[in-house]
Amino acid sequence: MSDYQTPAPGAGMDAFFLARGIAVIGASAEPTKIGGRPVHLLRRHGYAGSIYPINPKGGEIQGLPAYARLADTPEAPELALIAVPASHAVQAVQDCAARGVRAVVVLSSGFAEAGDEGAAWQAEMRAIALRHGMRLLGPNCLGTVGVAERAIGSFSVALEDYFPQAGAVGIVSQSGNIGSYTLQLLVQRGVGISRMVTTGNEAEVDLADGIAALARDPATRVILCCMETCRDGERLTQALAIAREHQTPVVVLKIGATEQGQAAAASHTGALAASDAVIDAVLRRHGALRVRSHEDLVEIGQALGQLMPIGQPHCLPRKPAVTLVAASGGFGIMMADAMSEAGLALPALAPATRARIHQVLPGASTSNPVDASAQISSRPDILFEVLSALQEDPGEATTVLFLSLGLYSSRLRDIYLQALAQLRAAYPQRPLVIISRGPAEAVVQIQALGIPVFSSIDAAARGIDALVRMAALLDAAPAAAPAVNGTGARLPEDTFRNEYAAKQALIDAGFEVPRELRAADAEAAVKAAEALGYPVVLKILSEDIAHKTEAGGVALNLGDAEAVRAASARIFASVARHAPDARLDGLLVAPMLRGGTELIAGISRDPVFGPVVMVGMGGIYAEVLRDVAVQPAPVSEDQATAMIRSLRLFPLLDGARGQAPADVAAAARAVARLSEFACAHREQVAEIDLNPILVRPQGQGIAILDALMVPLTPEPETAHAQ
Amino acid sequence: MSDYQTPAPGAGMDAFFLARGIAVIGASAEPTKIGGRPVHLLRRHGYAGSIYPINPKGGEIQGLPAYARLADTPEAPELALIAVPASHAVQAVQDCAARGVRAVVVLSSGFAEAGDEGAAWQAEMRAIALRHGMRLLGPNCLGTVGVAERAIGSFSVALEDYFPQAGAVGIVSQSGNIGSYTLQLLVQRGVGISRMVTTGNEAEVDLADGIAALARDPATRVILCCMETCRDGERLTQALAIAREHQTPVVVLKIGATEQGQAAAASHTGALAASDAVIDAVLRRHGALRVRSHEDLVEIGQALGQLMPIGQPHCLPRKPAVTLVAASGGFGIMMADAMSEAGLALPALAPATRARIHQVLPGASTSNPVDASAQISSRPDILFEVLSALQEDPGEATTVLFLSLGLYSSRLRDIYLQALAQLRAAYPQRPLVIISRGPAEAVVQIQALGIPVFSSIDAAARGIDALVRMAALLDAAPAAAPAVNGTGARLPEDTFRNEYAAKQALIDAGFEVPRELRAADAEAAVKAAEALGYPVVLKILSEDIAHKTEAGGVALNLGDAEAVRAASARIFASVARHAPDARLDGLLVAPMLRGGTELIAGISRDPVFGPVVMVGMGGIYAEVLRDVAVQPAPVSEDQATAMIRSLRLFPLLDGARGQAPADVAAAARAVARLSEFACAHREQVAEIDLNPILVRPQGQGIAILDALMVPLTPEPETAHAQ
């Protein structure tokens, strides 16, 4: 599209937030119009830099002198917002480039989302921006908000009535509306915001830029990201690496997770979509936390905002365990259900903890959950004492207090706030979480103490689990990308010809394939079987027969020469009947192996991420359950082990029901090697299918029993005619 | 406990709501005290009957004449609320009985939940109530609320500030706090309430009474039920049958679903708990809808309240399909994800529908979800036209409109309300749902139009799915309880002795067990094998060996006499080594059967529901996945079929990957027969384990390959010494 290189993720993004002057091209006197609202918002919320309304009519706009042309402004603005119709936007971008503007937000719509003409304009704008090293956000976006700087490059309605308070949470969203809605919900709950970036059509600046820019922003401690599609896998992983380097958690709502959602996303963004499973794997691998709903994004985002204050160490819970308190047994049971469903443990309280609770609440049940009865809210000192006992409990679990109706009573609210403030002061680093639906003012007051408030028991359960996982991600060293073995030397021409050839390529690359022999006819097969030892398997070799079993081209468990002869005859006859025109390469003679568990592994090609490695349990059960794990290739052995362990049927490899544990290490080595092989030969190999792989008992390795390789470009037909 | 019979579920419950006079025993002048608040609430909210405060001091209480003794009141009150300390409650209940009070609420606590003395008082109160045919609610409960009658038998704080408006939703809860919280959340969302019953310790009145009473109340169209434990399975199923008869949907939040939750429930209620899986099955079978969180209870409850208006046919959606509208593509994708994850289809819109939308919104995407752009809220007539096009779409899907920020703007809110009011008038019966987080006043206004408002996309997805299932439950004829075959004639004494004996009992009952023979030694085994035909299986027969394989007591696939001889010797030697003291009954010789899919089926004993029948996929995969379905016995063949179809691995029986479909009908017959067998012999049989059952291809039946029966009372040791 352009000879100029795309900037690295996040490069030059500061201009959107730190611009000392902002031009609004297509400025309007009407504050509700797309060209009027940014001027209005910048003035209303106290942007300290210069605002330059640009309008051919000149004169005055919303009390500011307007300029007929960008060239007329007394100094070059660092940021320009473009609100002119799509047909005029290319010229406006050109003007910005000529004037030395550092960054442009194209707020207008009518580009790639509207048809071919718009797509062409969008491509032109991109080319201009790249040529001039000017960052270009949008088009068809809601732009940017820098809270501390009050730099508003947006026409979001959410900013009409209020402006967020400055805080630790940054928002990056492809959809302007989702970004704006996220902002509003956080603001309603008293959560401070650092910056928001919405990328719209992503002509030039993309989600990766937004993530990287916020990761480098010292004011941002948490990034909430709403992703519709990923157009560039490498930029995304680079941005996630930058966030990891800066210890900035990234929480991602990736929408379009289902087939129906993907269909809607494709019609909305027009982008070639990466597989949701692959994006999911990428996020996990690079330390981002994926959430499944917008509610979870907001709930977890607000909690992270409380627990990762700027300039202080985070106080995320590190143990997946909770101590629960409610004024009623029923709520305790509900909490116990939800927490244990989210994988959180309910440790027993230490005797000393129980004794302390019993002293102030003789009637309370002091197991976990603590059924504290209504007495707990009778006096702040009682509440404080019960909660401090739990905060000091040696189990180091997160203390969770459920408040059903209490905060609606002003008398009780005062008691709660007093006790909670005292508690936070006494134990600033110990994890404490409140569950309450409201009222909103009370929730804001508790959040202001630095205590996260979840709006429901389920949200809290998922949220605490997420916080613990996030703490582990922040503590973990980033996984090193595995080195890709092999130079990528071209595979022999006939690698894709048949199973034998594919296996030879795998053997050359060091994979564990049993010794197998080719045989032209029945007698050669007998000789081969005798060399290998009985029992053996026979399979037809042909580049034209993909499903050998269906064609009658396979015979298992042949115990002697007679059986081999008979089977050879049967196979040749059956194949001649099923595929009379197939070009045959004889028979493959292989030892009949037993004793182990079957895995499948393979390589496929993702339109965005390239080679993807898959591993799953073998057999029909696994097929019915679709029990597989995927990752972009390459993966390390550790990552491959994690993939195998993530299978639902992994217990079958791990010694379920008294079986010998399988050689998972050898299987993981094979998966990692397969992923490296696919990368090394990415120019030649489109797909690989190893099905099945026999995984033997621990220490005995694996055996790849069948292999299929599909070339990236089909071999020309003439290659075989010679 | 008492010779008097427990009243049928719901009998005499009217007295709690329709009482013309209410006594408060232990009345207090202080309106925040447990004995003061009911007097205060009854007066404050305008109860029209007589209020009789009872207090030994007499005088005046809260402006009413107080009576020293219940006997002193000018007439016998129909309802009495008891708020005296636990130690005085028995006497108070006795006084009520003597005075001819029809119903009593014991609000005080300190009974079974507090220790043995309290448990004894509770038992005495129960006995008095049963003896006098007086209904007794509680103790340790939050009592009752009758909204239309303003009959308040409660001290719930939730009633201090406001009183619910009369409406279609009834609440039954064991936990007073959960009931009260549910009430409050519904009231906040503008949902009308009919009655609330909280049953606390359930000395006499239980959850089943509450369900039955509300089902018979003409003002209640929907019952929301919070269950901690079920103490009497039969009463519960009777109550659910009454609700079904009255076409009153019952939505149940059963808490204590997890092990941790059950532990908390056991410590809270002290009740012997029925298995959660069994209660789940009972609810499903009797047409109740189980929800998994309190949020879902409230969300689905409020929607049912809107869609089941009193005196009108319900307008629940009947198709599991939705047409989605949002002002932004991103929200549309989020909705598409959530709806399709909840199992709802997104049908394509008819060309006429698309044309109508295109006419008013030329820029909108007219696929489903409809990406309507912000234009949709520019004018009420545009919104009305888009939504009517969807309401008239021949697909008859539920129309779902997502509003993110719109309702916060008073200008937009007016547009929405105008269009929605018009729409409801034009299509009063067509399903329409709004998703909005608020503000609360706007939500109440929309609900007042009879349009349900869900608070999140996920809640709406789960909610619409629930409404469709509820419509199907209301339409479906109640499942007839299957007749139990067999007279329950005693099984022969030695039925529990070994596999052969158990199988004989099954054969006598008509089960499909292959022909098998007993053999005392190797030569007899050879003879038996020759009678059956090779190959055969040998198994040791012994009442002392539960795990035959582990003891080396099984040999499979024996092809000739020599193999049978060798295997017999091996088995006897191995068993002698593993279990030298075991009493042996010789060998079982069975044909070696193949070709089919394995199921397991069994009977276990639930402490509340009695015999429970289980069916699951056989083999190690199913064991790892815990892929089983349970139901209280007996079940009909249809119910058994539904159980088998509910297995995750059911596709394996249904012809997955080109296999022949299995004889599911024969398997279902066996499961139904097993459940009847267990009921017929419930006095003798504790457990049955049929593992595996070979299910052959369609039309070829099944074969029970192994069977184990455990007697309810172990056979006395001496029986075998003779």
Side-chain angles (χ1 to χ4, degrees), chain A residues 9 20 51 177 222 487 508 544 665 682 715 720:
Chain A
R20 277 162 310 176
I51 308 168
N177 281 304
V222 182
T487 59
D508 292 347
D544 298 319
R682 69 166 71 210
E715 301 282 302
H720 299 285

Side-chain angles (χ1 to χ4, degrees), chain B residues 96-380:
Chain B
C96 291
R99 188 77 168 102
V101 167
R102 291 182 51 212
V104 167
V105 180
V106 185
L107 297 171
S108 328
S109 54
F111 294 89
E113 84 283 5
D116 291 343
E117 193 179 32
W121 292 331
Q122 185 171 317
E124 265 192 85
M125 296 195 301
R126 171 185 166 82
I128 297 166
L130 290 181
R131 206 151 53 225
H132 290 84
M134 177 175 78
R135 300 309 312 258
L136 183 137
L137 183 66
N140 189 24
C141 76
L142 267 183
T144 51
V145 180
V147 175
E149 308 81 5
R150 314 211 143 221
I152 302 170
S154 178
F155 62 104
S156 169
V157 188
L159 302 173
E160 283 223 330
D161 296 330
Y162 46 79
F163 193 73
Q165 64 183 96
V169 179
I171 300 169
V172 185
S173 178
Q174 287 175 321
S175 158
N177 280 302
I178 296 181
S180 206
Y181 185 50
T182 309
L183 180 85
Q184 191 205 31
L185 294 180
L186 290 170
V187 167
Q188 279 179 357
R189 295 174 72 164
V191 179
I193 305 294
S194 58
R195 292 173 175 181
M196 176 166 85
V197 184
T198 68
T199 56
N201 287 12
E202 300 194 337
E204 199 265 315
V205 168
D206 66 0
L207 214 57
D209 282 305
I211 293 170
L214 294 197
R216 291 195 182 110
D217 170 29
T220 300
R221 288 292 307 266
V222 181
I223 298 171
L224 304 189
C225 174
C226 310
M227 184 193 294
E228 289 183 24
T229 191
C230 171
R231 294 175 175 85
D232 187 328
E234 203 172 318
R235 285 177 67 79
L236 178 65
T237 59
Q238 286 168 358
L240 292 175
I242 293 168
R244 195 137 184 189
E245 213 175 275
H246 286 79
Q247 291 272 298
T248 308
V250 182
V251 185
V252 180
L253 173 66
K254 157 74 175 61
I255 63 177
T258 62
E259 214 175 293
Q260 295 277 19
Q262 264 161 16
S267 104
H268 182 227
T269 64
L272 200 58
S275 135
D276 186 79
V278 174
I279 292 188
D280 194 72
V282 167
L283 294 174
R284 213 165 334 111
R285 185 157 148 190
H286 292 275
L289 188 85
R290 182 174 184 184
V291 292
R292 293 285 165 179
S293 72
H294 190 260
E295 288 74 50
D296 278 0
L297 184 76
V298 171
E299 297 272 350
I300 293 165
Q302 58 88 13
L304 284 169
Q306 303 304 320
L307 299 176
M308 301 201 60
I310 294 164
Q312 290 170 42
H314 76 72
C315 35
L316 299 177
R318 284 201 160 84
K319 285 207 171 173
V322 284
T323 49
L324 309 173
V325 199
S328 149
F331 293 122
I333 301 167
M334 276 165 52
M335 288 203 279
D337 275 344
M339 299 291 162
S340 68
E341 257 161 31
L344 300 167
L346 273 71
L349 303 181
T353 311
R354 301 181 71 145
R356 278 178 67 180
I357 297 171
H358 183 74
Q359 199 161 15
V360 289
L361 286 178
S365 148
T366 59
S367 53
N368 181 16
V370 177
D371 177 359
S373 82
Q375 292 298 316
I376 197 177
S377 47
S378 58
R379 293 202 327 245

Side-chain angles (χ1 to χ4, degrees), chain A residues 581-618:
Chain A
D581 299 329
R583 288 159 296 183
L584 304 184
D585 296 327
L587 295 164
L588 182 70
V589 187
M592 174 83 196
L593 300 178
R594 296 179 207 265
T597 307
E598 289 185 1
L599 280 183
I600 55 173
I603 296 291
S604 61
R605 184 60 65 116
D606 185 85
V608 171
F609 286 88
V612 167
V613 62
M614 176 276 285
V615 64
M617 292 300 299

Side-chain angles (χ1 to χ4, degrees), chain B residues 584-600:
Chain B
L584 304 184
D585 297 327
L587 295 165
L588 183 69
V589 187
M592 174 81 196
L593 300 178
R594 296 179 206 264
T597 307
E598 288 184 2
L599 279 183
I600 56 174

Side-chain angles (χ1 to χ4, degrees), chain A residues 177 181 184 188 255-258 261 293 295 328 333-334 337 340 405 408 456 458 621 623 625 652 657, chain B residues 177 181 184 188 255-258 261 293 295 328 333-334 337 340 405 408 437 456 458 621 623 625 652 657:
Chain A
N177 281 304
Y181 185 51
Q184 191 205 29
Q188 280 179 356
I255 62 177
T258 62
S293 73
E295 288 73 50
S328 150
I333 300 167
M334 277 165 50
D337 274 344
S340 69
L405 304 173
Y408 283 92
S456 74
D458 280 347
Y621 289 87
E623 190 173 299
L625 296 169
L652 294 183
R657 207 160 84 165
Chain B
N177 280 302
Y181 185 50
Q184 191 205 31
Q188 279 179 357
I255 63 177
T258 62
S293 72
E295 288 74 50
S328 149
I333 301 167
M334 276 165 52
D337 275 344
S340 68
L405 305 173
Y408 284 90
R437 286 194 90 90
S456 74
D458 280 348
Y621 289 86
E623 189 173 299
L625 295 169
L652 294 183
R657 209 162 81 166

Side-chain angles (χ1 to χ4, degrees), chain B residues 501-511 513 674 677 690 704 707 709:
Chain B
K503 281 177 168 172
Q504 288 310 313
L506 293 172
I507 289 169
D508 292 346
F511 286 85
V513 180
L674 176 67
F677 181 87
L690 309 184
I704 295 169
M709 284 201 214

Side-chain angles (χ1 to χ4, degrees), chain B residues 367-430:
Chain B
S367 53
N368 181 16
V370 177
D371 177 359
S373 82
Q375 292 298 316
I376 197 177
S377 47
S378 58
R379 293 202 327 245
D381 56 337
I382 292 181
L383 181 62
F384 175 78
E385 181 59 20
V386 171
L387 293 177
S388 355
L390 294 174
Q391 294 265 286
E392 288 183 17
D393 187 78
E396 293 185 7
T398 298
T399 304
V400 186
L401 172 65
F402 177 79
L403 301 176
S404 58
L405 305 173
L407 292 175
Y408 284 90
S409 144
S410 64
R411 184 177 60 81
L412 292 181
R413 190 196 300 185
D414 291 344
I415 290 176
Y416 287 123
L417 282 169
Q418 194 183 326
L420 292 175
Q422 203 185 340
L423 198 75
R424 193 75 308 200
Y427 310 96
Q429 287 288 311
R430 294 279 304 119

